[in-house]
Amino acid sequence: MPSLSCHNLLDLAAADEVPLPSPTPLRLPRVMSVASPASPTSPSPPAPPRRVIVSHRLPLRAAPDPAAPFGFVFTVDSGTVAYQLRSGLPASAPVLHIGTLPAAAAEAASDELSNYLLANFSCLPVYLPSDLHHRFYHGFCKHYLWPLLHYLLPLTPSSLGGLPFQRTLYHSFLSANRAFADRLTEVLSPDEDLVWIHDYHLLALPTFLRKRFPRAKVGFFLHSPFPSSEIFRTIPVRDDLVRALLNADLVGFHTFDYARHFLSACSRLLGLDYQSKRGYIGIEYYGRTVTVKILPVGIDMGQLRSVVSAPETGDAVRRVAEAYKGRRLMIGVDDVDLFKGIGLKFLAMEQLLVDHPELRGRAVLVQITNPARSEGRDVQGVQDEARAISARVNARFGTPGYTPIVLLEGPVTPQEKAAYYAAAECCVMSAVRDGLNRIPYIYTVLRQESDALGDDAPKRSVIVLSEFVGCSPSLSGAIRVNPWSVESVAEAMNAALRMPEAEQRLRHEKHYKYVSTHDVAYWARSFDQDLQRACKDHFSRRHWGIGFGMSFKVVALGPNFRRLSVEHILPSYRRTENRLILLDYDGTVMPENSIDKAPSSEVISVLNRLCEDPKNRVFIVSGRGKDELSKWFAPCEKLGIAAEHGYFTRWSRGVPWETSSLAADFDWKKTAEPVMRLYTEATDGSSIEHKESALVWHHQEADPDFGSCQAKELLDHLENVLANEPVVVKRGQHIVEVNPQGISKGVVVESLLSSMVKTGKAPDLVLCIGDDRSDEDMFESIVCPSNASVRLPATSEVFACTVGKKPSMARYYLDDTVDVIKMLEGLANAPSQRPRPAVQLRVSFEGSL
């Protein structure tokens, strides 16, 4: 359940906003199902969970009609991804769409309209005041976040249309996302429903939703690019947005590049690592595994075929074929925005006609521009540029009856577009940055379906495609170009027009095979299955909400994994007589990021008080060298130290060091050290630590990505060159370490236990605290007695505790080093339980009988 201390704190971020309208709440069933006849003999299988699709706009069209209910005629917009994905969901699963109304009907807000859309279209509208929606969509989303996701920093907003970050617009963004969460709260059944959130407009929604429903099953798909971490880190609220994505269970991207940038942002901003296991990428985040999925959206084959079969399409095809008879037709279809590269495409067309005069009078580029999705000077600038360049090229190379660039602005019907696709020999896509762009997919399918339009010739097509478009990796037969190089694009267009028909057919067949098998239904089905897989452990864990505002997160712990408190361990501590306390050093009693690695006076004081109790045996078990640890803990006379992972051990300050007998030959260092030195010279910020029994390569100060990559390479390199040596090469937290075989923290713990058992003082309480991979050996030796050579008495109480909430052999956790010291202080201040002295009854008599 969410932490009560965080109640409504997310609302603080939007405190300055105009309050959202609060009409009488719309009461809707949390689980919608269709009644079916009951059968006493054959119970029906459980209904599949409902899918709740959340997008900025509902998949609806609204045509004004004064005679219609509510003043509009509503119809399904079958061209939206939010609607098309239904084809990949289970047919028996109910689907609910949540989003804002179409722009034309934005002011028609009422509970009656909500009920009408819910009953007729399974759509539930989110009502936003017009001024809030304008600041949310046209302000923060389209003029700050969207340009930045496409690599445009708001350095010169007057010329490029981008806005600098404004806190008030960000608050509007949060207010709008909160309104979506409010609507979801009215209808969501968090234990059953699967929630699928779409695109950057709702980046903050997973946090709002997770705060209210810690076990909600939430997927998020980003349809835009995710920029490199250098770009993303310029966002003042970057941590909020990354944490919001991590509050989803499954995060989807079109390409590996976008996913890689997201993983890099998680590493550089939050210090999170990822692991790839059996084909799935997972990020461990406070006990939850956030799965990262990579799969581009496909097209709706059925919808395209319905367009092809329409009578209007055949008429349009005949008109286009007649109008461009004898021409070499190329097609481009783009939205009007900064990143589609329409001007660059027109310059390439001009260069093509300059370099190849034989194409003048024959080559034609038809450019269809879809209506702009936003407003502002940047949109007008793109339109003006396209008109100016096309007019200049047409004036220079046009002749009566021949126009090199045909610019079709404004709405173009799907049937007319299909006609141009079917007639064009080549599709040119020159966007400088685009999330996916399904136009090349559509072009490929319509060229394949051209026989239905009267073209019986063998199917062939060529695609000239910008390498910065999300669909580029999936279309390996395309001619990939750098759109900024006008000459390269012009040459690619020429190569496409001169390509032999046999090669065109081969490229077309390759593309059509991919597009037809990876359609939108395939994409939706794959995402849906992975979302269910990512949420399968929800009910086997306990969840707590922590954090304030947009820093809110949910901690998920196993049923037997709990926080270790002083109150929990204190009763056992007081009644036991022989205690063994094992403490790691770095990351346990000393913070990892501390510059001065020496223990503080507070740590020394706590350890001394613990050691003064004759019932305690306290050991520092560390990978550090013995000389360093001896110097630091010189004030602790009775403290035991196991240095270099147990190669050296002493029971107290006045006792000589004991050395492990397992390793005596260190000639392997002559081989390992030159290899480490090579990687140190090549990796800025790395260093080598020399120990008597080991060598350690540190990369904590190096670039996170490069250091991690070099560590993997060094691990493989050392394992190869030391394959015949009696050593073990391990990778730890920001280190690669070479140790003699048989030396580990687990082995030294077993040695300590064995010594105590032999002296007749077998520990009846063992407290072991550590934070990294090497400490897992300690946990295993005391938590899994079947794997250990020394067995504790059956009455012994064991408290294995890791620092931080993460998968571990330990059964307890503490949040950080501060918690560790507080817990040790609590034990040091707790007196041992002593047997009560017998009560003596003394009776005195005064006087005489």
Side-chain angles (χ1 to χ4, degrees), residues 91-373:
S92 57
V95 177
L96 174 64
H97 292 274
I98 292 181
T100 59
L101 289 169
E107 300 299 325
S110 69
D111 280 355
E112 291 75 16
L113 177 59
S114 297
N115 288 321
Y116 171 79
L117 296 178
L118 181 65
N120 291 276
F121 301 99
S122 293
C123 291
L124 186 61
V126 177
Y127 298 133
L128 298 178
S130 58
D131 58 336
L132 174 60
H133 184 269
H134 188 273
R135 294 194 303 272
F136 152 67
Y137 182 72
H138 294 289
F140 188 80
C141 288
K142 296 303 290 186
H143 282 93
Y144 176 74
L145 193 55
W146 186 77
L148 198 141
L149 293 175
H150 289 75
Y151 288 75
L152 177 62
L153 293 174
L155 300 176
T156 54
S158 60
S159 61
L160 295 178
L163 291 175
F165 179 82
Q166 296 180 25
R167 185 68 58 173
T168 55
L169 292 181
Y170 178 59
H171 287 172
S172 299
F173 172 75
L174 294 181
S175 294
N177 277 255
R178 180 165 55 90
F180 275 81
D182 292 341
R183 199 51 140 174
L184 272 164
T185 301
E186 296 177 6
V187 298
L188 191 65
S189 179
D191 293 346
E192 289 86 21
D193 293 346
L194 296 172
V195 182
W196 189 351
I197 304 170
H198 289 267
D199 221 3
Y200 65 96
H201 317 89
L202 303 176
L203 266 178
L205 182 55
T207 293
F208 287 93
L209 198 58
R210 187 67 66 190
K211 175 180 179 290
R212 304 178 189 197
F213 305 107
R215 283 195 176 95
K217 303 169 184 177
V218 182
F220 185 98
F221 197 93
L222 185 66
H223 293 271
S224 72
F226 195 98
S228 68
S229 61
E230 285 76 14
I231 297 292
F232 190 83
R233 281 153 55 197
T234 64
I235 302 177
V237 291
R238 59 195 187 177
D239 290 5
D240 292 352
L241 300 182
V242 171
R243 289 193 183 101
L245 286 176
L246 292 172
N247 274 323
D249 297 294
L250 176 66
V251 183
F253 300 93
H254 287 305
T255 71
F256 174 70
D257 276 349
Y258 304 159
R260 177 169 55 87
H261 295 157
F262 170 67
L263 295 171
S264 178
C266 291
S267 172
R268 294 176 181 273
L269 296 177
L270 304 180
L272 301 175
D273 293 326
Y274 70 92
Q275 292 183 339
S276 181
K277 185 177 181 181
R278 295 185 178 179
Y280 292 93
I281 299 174
I283 304 172
E284 290 298 326
Y285 186 61
Y286 289 91
R288 298 171 48 246
T289 299
V290 181
T291 305
V292 176
K293 182 174 181 60
I294 304 163
L295 185 65
V297 180
I299 59 173
D300 189 335
M301 297 289 291
Q303 192 249 353
L304 285 181
R305 285 169 178 157
S306 67
V307 172
V308 169
S309 62
E312 299 88 346
T313 304
D315 297 337
V317 166
R318 286 186 285 273
R319 290 196 303 271
V320 170
E322 182 63 27
Y324 295 97
K325 187 176 181 179
R327 310 292 190 194
R328 307 294 302 277
L329 191 62
M330 295 178 286
I331 183 70
V333 180
D334 298 282
D335 295 341
V336 179
D337 69 52
L338 285 170
F339 304 103
K340 292 303 187 286
I342 298 174
L344 293 173
K345 188 188 304 184
F346 289 178
L347 292 176
M349 182 64 184
E350 181 180 33
Q351 190 67 39
L352 175 68
L353 298 178
V354 169
D355 295 343
H356 301 278
E358 69 277 9
L359 292 176
R360 299 174 189 174
R362 300 181 60 204
V364 176
L365 173 63
V366 174
Q367 176 65 50
I368 300 174
T369 58
N370 297 322
R373 300 186 185 182

Side-chain angles (χ1 to χ4, degrees), residues 748-814:
V748 72
V749 169
E750 292 181 13
S751 175
L752 297 176
L753 292 173
S754 176
S755 297
M756 295 182 69
V757 170
K758 288 178 181 178
T759 59
K761 292 186 176 182
D764 48 12
L765 182 144
V766 179
L767 171 62
C768 180
I769 308 177
D771 75 303
D772 63 16
R773 297 178 188 175
S774 64
D775 299 313
E776 294 296 318
D777 295 333
M778 287 199 297
F779 300 150
E780 184 176 7
S781 65
I782 61 175
V783 172
C784 302
S786 59
N787 299 334
S789 59
V790 181
R791 297 199 176 188
L792 294 170
T795 57
S796 296
E797 300 187 62
V798 175
F799 297 89
C801 179
T802 187
V803 180
K805 306 173 188 70
K806 56 184 180 288
S808 173
M809 291 287 294
R811 294 174 182 171
Y812 300 91
Y813 75 92
L814 290 168

